[in-house]
Amino acid sequence: MTDTTSTAPAIRFARLPRRGVLLGFSALRLASLGFAVAILVPALFVGGSRSAALTSPLWGSAIAAAFVPWRGTPLIEWVPTALHYAWRAATRQTRFRARPDRPRPAGTLALPGDAAALRFLVDPDTGAAMLHDPHAQTLTAIALLRHPSFVLQSPDEQARRVHGWSRTLAHLAATGSGTRVQILEVTLPDAGRGITGWWETHASGDSGAWVVRQYEELMTTVVPAASAHRTLAALSLDLRKARPLLRQSGRGLAGAAAFLKQEMTLFQASLRAAEIQVPWWLGEEDVAATLRTAYDPGFGATEQATAKLDTAGPVAVEEHWGHLQHDTGHSAVLWVSEWPRVAAPPFFLHSLVFQPGIRKTISMTYEPIPADEAIRDIRRAKVEYATDAAQKARLGVIADLSDSVEASDVVDRERALISGHADVRFTGLVAVTAGSLEELEASVAEIARAAIQSGCETRRLYGQQARAFTAAALPLGRKVSR
């Protein structure tokens, strides 16, 4: 008798690398310890223990900053972020106010911060709105994605769709155009009008029948937790890396738009293997409504609401150390710092995606790496791990098991690359939005618990909420710096 049962493909992520300059210490921690030694040693030679005691606040603070953690990170590592935030606050760069008396130039987006430099153009053939970042030299198009249920599929079908998505990323890496993909899963609390409206229209039979009563009781239970889900994909072309390829399509922004249309067609075709459909690429009004809704949760409550890209930005934004206040909402951005390190099914994010009653946007940014660049990065990492192990052995420092696990992850990465898989840099962000600060803190706590149930760990991006919100909540395909 043959066993025909199938098991779902298991996924395991590598640990977040924590390589340092020397013995696992970062440059900032080494500088802090060096400052402490530079104060303590001369004090001992000049005045003995009395001078050491007098200077203890200096060298003691430096040592404490190198070893005492706050929010899982040594205090000294927070210094650059805190100084940059303080400088921006002192120069009033943490505040944004729309200026209706000063109209913006045509073709620009009314967004705060460094996103204010974005320009847009509408492709006459597809009607898609393309966003151009003149500073980062990128051109981005946004697609609406539709896909059938994944969790309810058989393990074989799940494996086939996962393989189809992996081939899509491998194709992007093979082109060498530096195309980056951002997937956004937008979840909006819903009043359940779709469920109740359908029942009111299609209900038939005796209202007192047992089946009718059971269905109405089910609706009463489900409607309060109902949510509307929308999936978007931002395809961002790196104009610098794709410069040799752009010459075939023409010069200037018109040539870049023509080449991006080719990438859009290939991307849409490759998604079919994963059973993902692209009904259309978002036009100007669709992109404007998406941006406006992110900043103003109340926008779009009526069907008559319309938006234009030149006025789609927020009216007011106030950045704080741990959250962002904008128009009618408060938001906080979390970084997924750790992914499941044990075997997990492909739908391991189910608890996080379907957390009810919370307005959130889950952003996954994939940056495929060309094979030659990935090989160089792997070799560099192997040399660094070997050098660090040799230094610890020479100094008699006991090696941690985490070091060997990270080195083994690098070998697994090299083995997968040699087998023909694409190497990808990816970053996960979660933007949580609520109507008040109290509701926001409660929602963030629920999202953190849901992430733990999914096998992930999250950290709030203190001191950089404005840039993080632009990268997490808006489909702009922005490069994420960690």
Side-chain angles (χ1 to χ4, degrees), residues 307-328:
K308 294 294 183 179
L309 273 175
D310 52 0
T311 58
V315 176
V317 175
E318 187 83 25
E319 181 184 2
H320 300 273
W321 175 252
H323 71 279
L324 190 72
Q325 183 178 359
H326 48 84
D327 288 0
T328 59

Side-chain angles (χ1 to χ4, degrees), residues 74-200:
L75 291 175
I76 191 64
E77 301 285 353
W78 287 101
V79 171
T81 301
L83 291 178
H84 186 250
Y85 176 80
W87 176 77
R88 290 191 296 113
T91 55
R92 302 177 65 86
Q93 295 185 24
T94 57
R95 301 181 60 189
F96 170 82
R97 298 292 184 271
R99 303 294 295 271
D101 57 330
R102 297 182 181 179
R104 298 183 61 86
T108 62
L109 274 68
L111 296 178
D114 56 356
L118 293 178
R119 308 289 190 267
F120 73 91
L121 59 95
V122 179
D123 179 63
D125 298 329
T126 62
M130 299 182 179
L131 308 180
H132 176 231
D133 189 339
H135 297 327
Q137 285 295 299
T138 59
L139 190 63
T140 305
I142 307 167
L144 176 68
L145 302 184
R146 287 180 180 170
H147 47 86
S149 174
F150 183 85
V151 179
L152 301 180
Q153 301 298 323
S154 65
D156 291 338
E157 180 64 18
Q158 291 179 2
R160 187 182 70 84
R161 295 185 182 183
V162 170
H163 178 72
W165 173 245
S166 67
R167 298 317 304 164
T168 299
L169 296 178
H171 165 75
L172 293 176
T175 58
S177 59
T179 303
R180 184 166 53 249
V181 180
Q182 179 191 16
I183 304 296
L184 280 87
E185 174 67 20
V186 184
T187 305
L188 306 177
D190 186 63
R193 297 189 187 93
I195 300 175
T196 57
W198 186 93
W199 176 249
E200 292 172 357

Side-chain angles (χ1 to χ4, degrees), residues 70-73 77-78 80-82 84-85 88 319-323 332-335 441 444 458-466 468:
W70 184 74
R71 304 287 183 177
T73 303
E77 301 285 353
W78 287 101
T81 301
H84 186 250
Y85 176 80
R88 290 191 296 113
E319 181 184 2
H320 300 273
W321 175 252
H323 71 279
V333 181
L334 308 178
W335 168 47
E441 294 300 331
V444 168
T458 57
R459 295 183 185 180
R460 187 180 291 201
L461 295 176
Y462 291 98
Q464 44 189 331
Q465 285 290 308

Side-chain angles (χ1 to χ4, degrees), residues 103-401:
R104 298 183 61 86
T108 62
L109 274 68
L111 296 178
D114 56 356
L118 293 178
R119 308 289 190 267
F120 73 91
L121 59 95
V122 179
D123 179 63
D125 298 329
T126 62
M130 299 182 179
L131 308 180
H132 176 231
D133 189 339
H135 297 327
Q137 285 295 299
T138 59
L139 190 63
T140 305
I142 307 167
L144 176 68
L145 302 184
R146 287 180 180 170
H147 47 86
S149 174
F150 183 85
V151 179
L152 301 180
Q153 301 298 323
S154 65
D156 291 338
E157 180 64 18
Q158 291 179 2
R160 187 182 70 84
R161 295 185 182 183
V162 170
H163 178 72
W165 173 245
S166 67
R167 298 317 304 164
T168 299
L169 296 178
H171 165 75
L172 293 176
T175 58
S177 59
T179 303
R180 184 166 53 249
V181 180
Q182 179 191 16
I183 304 296
L184 280 87
E185 174 67 20
V186 184
T187 305
L188 306 177
D190 186 63
R193 297 189 187 93
I195 300 175
T196 57
W198 186 93
W199 176 249
E200 292 172 357
T201 304
H202 297 82
S204 60
D206 184 9
S207 59
W210 179 83
V211 176
V212 175
R213 293 199 308 270
Q214 294 298 317
Y215 194 85
E216 290 179 346
E217 290 179 4
L218 178 62
M219 286 194 301
T220 304
T221 305
V222 172
V223 165
S227 299
H229 293 265
R230 190 185 190 207
T231 306
L232 302 175
L235 194 65
S236 183
L237 175 66
D238 191 325
L239 301 182
R240 293 191 182 96
K241 293 183 179 180
R243 186 171 300 169
L245 303 174
L246 296 179
R247 298 171 183 171
Q248 304 173 4
S249 302
R251 296 183 177 275
L253 203 56
F259 184 82
L260 180 59
K261 283 195 296 183
Q262 299 176 12
E263 292 291 298
M264 291 160 57
T265 303
L266 295 176
F267 178 71
Q268 184 172 349
S270 63
L271 287 177
R272 297 193 185 102
E275 297 296 332
I276 300 176
Q277 300 177 355
V278 180
W280 62 79
W281 294 86
L282 270 60
E284 180 182 356
E285 290 189 0
D286 295 329
V287 176
T290 301
L291 300 181
R292 181 73 179 275
T293 305
Y295 284 104
D296 186 3
F299 177 79
T302 61
E303 296 182 357
Q304 292 79 16
T306 58
K308 294 294 183 179
L309 273 175
D310 52 0
T311 58
V315 176
V317 175
E318 187 83 25
E319 181 184 2
H320 300 273
W321 175 252
H323 71 279
L324 190 72
Q325 183 178 359
H326 48 84
D327 288 0
T328 59
H330 296 72
S331 296
V333 181
L334 308 178
W335 168 47
V336 183
S337 58
E338 291 289 353
W339 299 87
R341 294 196 294 270
V342 296
F347 49 86
F348 66 92
L349 288 177
H350 183 273
S351 299
L352 182 60
V353 173
F354 293 97
Q355 185 69 16
I358 297 178
R359 186 186 186 96
K360 63 183 180 297
T361 301
I362 302 176
S363 172
M364 296 287 297
T365 303
Y366 301 88
E367 187 173 356
I369 308 173
D372 53 349
E373 181 180 346
I375 288 294
R376 290 195 300 268
D377 186 58
I378 290 173
R379 289 174 179 171
R380 188 184 307 111
K382 293 171 67 175
V383 170
E384 290 178 357
Y385 281 119
T387 303
D388 188 64
Q391 290 175 346
K392 290 184 176 181
R394 185 169 59 253
L395 297 175
V397 179
I398 299 177
D400 296 330
L401 182 60

